């Protein structure tokens, strides 16, 4: 019997144990952050098990995460991407709908000290065809819970404390960074626990894959068009990159994070400000990429240095392997000097 292998198999690092270990690195911690993350994890487990529910999964996921965050007692606000047919479920968290310009803040006696921005079900249009979908989230500390303003939501990505996503597909995988590296956990249905399966994820410096919706190519700007052309027809003797595009950001970014390469959702003539939402798509994924050794760029600046002016601001995004993002940055820099 291989006792060493058996010991490793039974010494399971669950996500709860991992987060508690991270908490131990901060002696001043009271456990609020750990409790908040545990409720997000609970929401992910619930959505992962709800595939057979008759209720629309995108509506259900909104309900699950709102209630999970409310019950944590640690949030002061939440920014959600809500569909127009999704009802507001509680006034205890800030719920921000695409149909509403203003945020609703938690009553003072119930306030925690964190703001959570998340998309409960990214890629929900792909539910019926079995494509991987997921939840994306980012967590901020609020400045003063006794004097909360919209500025507590409209923070740059550099102020983010933690970010992650949970991908629901052939397996249920939760990728998380609390600022100290990036780790991936896979849900073991027999245990009902997320188990560490991808420790200390590091994205390769350069990858062999590019991921973009080429159906929009006719509307791209020159740097994006040149970059994709170089991916397909490199002039330096290297092999062409392979195109892989699922159309679900969580799935495309997950593959990019593990295998390397670049994910692009550029601005174009139809969407001059980009398509993806800054607070709950661009920022969390950019945070994860940087913590894994990659980069995230908007076409003008480091993505995490954006300061959103509105809750549902959009931005172009190029994220992935460090050297691949350097290539697109160089093309934009060259364009600006010749303009």
């Amino acid at each position: 019997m291989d006792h060493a292998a058996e010991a490793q198999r039974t010494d399971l690092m669950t996500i709860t144990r991992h987060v508690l270990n991270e908490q131990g690195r901060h002696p001043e911690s009271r456990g609020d952050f750990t409790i908040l993350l545990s409720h997000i994890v609970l929401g992910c487990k619930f959505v992962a098990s709800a595939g057979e529910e008759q209720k629309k999964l995108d509506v259900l996921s909104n309900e699950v995460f709102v209630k999970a965050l409310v019950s944590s007692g640690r949030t002061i606000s939440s920014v959600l991407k809500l569909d127009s047919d999704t009802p507001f479920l509680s006034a205890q968290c800030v719920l921000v709908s695409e149909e509403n310009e203003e945020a609703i803040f938690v009553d003072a006696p119930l306030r925690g000290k964190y703001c959570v921005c998340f998309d409960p079900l990214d890629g929900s249009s792909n539910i019926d065809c079995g494509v991987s979908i997921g939840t994306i989230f980012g967590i901020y500390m609020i400045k003063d819970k006794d004097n909360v303003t919209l500025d507590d939501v409209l923070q740059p990505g550099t102020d983010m404390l933690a970010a992650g996503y949970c991908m629901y597909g052939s397996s249920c995988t939760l990728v998380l960074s609390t600022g100290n590296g990036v780790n991936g956990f896979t849900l073991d249905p027999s245990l009902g626990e997320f188990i560490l399966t991808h420790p200390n994820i590091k994205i390769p410096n350069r990858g062999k894959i590019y991921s973009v919706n080429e159906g929009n190519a006719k509307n791209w700007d020159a740097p994006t068009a040149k970059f994709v052309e170089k991916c397909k027809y490199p002039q330096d003797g290297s092999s062409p990159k392979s195109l892989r595009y699922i159309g679900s950001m969580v799935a495309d970014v997950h593959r990019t994070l593990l295998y390397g390469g670049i994910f692009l959702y550029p601005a174009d003539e139809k969407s001059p400000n980009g398509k993806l939402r800054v607070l709950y798509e661009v920022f969390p994924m950019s945070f994860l990429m940087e913590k894994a050794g990659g980069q995230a760029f908007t076409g003008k600046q480091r993505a995490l240095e954006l300061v959103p002016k509105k809750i549902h601001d959009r931005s172009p995004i190029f994220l992935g392997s460090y050297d691949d993002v350097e290539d697109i940055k160089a093309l934009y820099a060259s364009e600006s000097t010749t303009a």
Side-chain angles (χ1 to χ4, degrees):
M1 179 178 180
D2 188 341
H3 292 286
E6 186 68 12
Q8 185 175 7
R9 188 183 72 82
T10 56
D11 186 24
L12 300 177
M13 176 62 77
T14 67
I15 192 168
T16 303
R17 181 177 165 192
H18 171 80
V19 171
L20 286 171
N21 285 350
E22 288 296 303
Q23 179 184 323
R25 301 162 71 94
H26 304 277
E28 73 284 0
S29 174
R30 297 188 305 165
D32 289 353
F33 187 69
T34 302
I35 292 170
L36 174 60
L37 282 174
S38 71
H39 280 73
I40 292 175
V41 169
L42 178 62
C44 293
K45 289 179 183 178
F46 193 97
V47 173
S49 68
E52 300 303 319
E53 294 284 341
Q54 292 184 347
K55 196 170 191 179
K56 285 178 62 179
L57 192 57
D58 52 350
V59 176
L60 177 64
S61 63
N62 277 320
E63 294 187 15
V64 168
F65 281 101
V66 170
K67 291 178 178 179
L69 286 168
V70 169
S71 65
S72 77
R74 267 64 185 176
T75 55
I76 192 162
S77 61
S78 297
V79 180
L80 297 87
K81 178 183 177 184
L82 298 179
D83 296 326
S84 58
D85 60 351
T86 302
F88 287 124
L89 296 160
S90 170
Q92 289 183 300
C93 289
V94 171
L95 306 183
V96 181
S97 169
E98 293 185 50
E99 304 298 321
N100 283 58
E101 293 294 327
E102 303 297 328
I104 306 168
F105 290 90
V106 179
D107 292 335
L110 304 174
R111 288 177 184 166
K113 58 183 181 181
Y114 297 105
C115 170
V116 181
C117 307
F118 66 97
D119 181 347
L121 205 63
D122 174 73
S124 57
S125 62
N126 291 316
I127 291 173
D128 291 342
C129 60
V131 170
S132 294
I133 53 181
T135 298
I136 308 171
F137 61 90
I139 302 173
Y140 294 92
M141 178 82 75
I142 60 107
K143 299 180 178 73
D144 179 3
K145 72 175 185 178
D146 295 321
N147 184 28
V148 186
T149 70
L150 198 59
D151 290 339
D152 288 299
V153 176
L154 301 177
Q155 299 185 51
T158 50
D159 290 349
M160 191 171 281
L161 296 180
Y165 61 80
C166 188
M167 184 174 68
Y168 315 107
S170 56
S171 62
C172 180
T173 303
L174 195 154
V175 175
L176 173 69
S177 176
T178 57
N180 181 36
V182 180
N183 293 279
F185 304 81
T186 302
L187 183 62
D188 184 330
S190 65
L191 299 175
E193 289 281 3
F194 280 99
I195 306 299
L196 180 64
T197 51
H198 297 76
N200 196 27
I201 296 170
K202 295 293 184 185
I203 186 170
N205 285 335
R206 188 176 291 280
K208 300 178 181 179
I209 296 171
Y210 72 103
S211 183
V212 66
N213 183 357
E214 289 209 58
N216 295 326
K218 70 174 184 178
N219 298 314
W220 288 343
D221 61 16
T224 300
K226 288 178 183 177
F227 178 80
V228 173
E229 186 75 4
K230 287 184 176 183
C231 288
K232 294 192 286 189
Y233 307 105
Q235 301 298 309
D236 59 1
S238 62
S239 299
K241 291 184 185 295
S242 298
L243 170 65
R244 298 287 185 271
Y245 185 70
I246 298 169
S248 170
M249 188 186 190
V250 168
D252 281 315
V253 170
H254 185 67
R255 182 197 56 247
T256 303
L257 187 64
L258 295 184
Y259 299 158
I262 188 167
F263 170 84
L264 307 80
Y265 213 119
D268 56 36
E269 293 177 5
K270 294 191 301 180
S271 304
N273 295 320
K275 192 83 177 287
L276 297 179
R277 308 287 186 163
V278 172
L279 283 174
Y280 41 78
E281 291 174 322
V282 171
F283 277 172
M285 294 308 202
S286 298
F287 184 90
L288 291 167
M289 279 295 170
E290 287 199 4
K291 296 303 179 183
Q295 290 195 79
F297 178 62
T298 67
K300 295 180 179 179
Q301 66 183 106
R302 178 188 175 202
L304 289 179
E305 292 178 350
L306 278 172
V307 180
K309 296 179 179 178
K310 296 181 180 179
I311 288 167
H312 298 298
D313 274 0
R314 303 173 188 263
S315 174
I317 189 64
F318 306 85
L319 55 79
S321 294
Y322 192 95
D323 291 346
D324 288 320
V325 177
E326 279 293 298
D327 290 345
I328 190 73
K329 286 168 70 176
L331 288 170
Y332 272 97
S334 175
E335 180 79 6
S336 64
T337 57
T338 57

